[in-house]
Amino acid sequence: MVEKRRASRRLKRLPVRCSCGTCEFAGVTSNFSQDGLFIRTKKPFKPGVPVKLLFETDKKSTIALSGVIARAIRKEIMFSKNGMGVKLTSIPQSYSSFLEELSSNRSF
């Protein structure tokens, strides 16, 4: 399989709140990159849907992000990696700093 990703991924599991208009649910981050992230959830939004994300780092700072669903995976297998890939539409400095910290800290 050909690798389509342009940015390297940083693995980290953190609780995340996802919202799309009036719909809101919780998920868990799976990985982060410079321009997106993957969220594990049983209820992924459809591709193309704009979303707002909110998660708390290990250092108890909160990061708010905006993005668009790039892909959604929903399989009936319980232990499958169900979820959604989010392409970020705006990247705050706090997110860039968080990624730098993940890159320098290999103990996750």
Side-chain angles (χ1 to χ4, degrees):
M1 180 178 259
V2 176
E3 177 65 46
K4 295 180 183 179
R5 296 175 179 161
R6 288 176 260 155
S8 63
R9 300 292 191 252
R10 305 288 181 246
L11 299 176
K12 186 71 176 174
R13 307 275 190 272
L14 294 170
V16 62
R17 301 288 310 164
C18 308
S19 64
C20 168
T22 59
C23 184
E24 185 176 310
F25 66 89
V28 176
T29 63
S30 178
N31 63 54
F32 295 89
S33 74
Q34 291 176 335
D35 58 358
L37 63 147
F38 190 82
I39 299 170
R40 288 187 177 192
T41 179
K42 293 179 184 176
K43 299 178 182 182
F45 295 134
K46 293 181 181 180
V49 171
V51 293
K52 302 278 185 194
L53 307 172
L54 188 65
F55 70 93
E56 189 175 293
T57 69
D58 290 339
K59 294 190 173 191
K60 305 300 180 201
S61 63
T62 301
I63 299 177
L65 301 169
S66 298
V68 175
I69 304 302
R71 65 186 178 107
I73 301 169
R74 187 170 187 176
K75 299 179 182 176
E76 297 301 320
I77 301 169
M78 185 178 194
F79 298 106
S80 179
K81 293 183 180 180
N82 291 326
M84 55 191 178
V86 179
K87 170 89 170 128
L88 298 176
T89 54
S90 65
I91 301 168
Q93 181 57 45
S94 57
Y95 183 74
S96 297
S97 298
F98 170 73
L99 287 180
E100 286 177 24
E101 190 173 305
L102 284 182
S103 295
S104 63
N105 182 4
R106 300 288 181 195
S107 62
F108 49 89

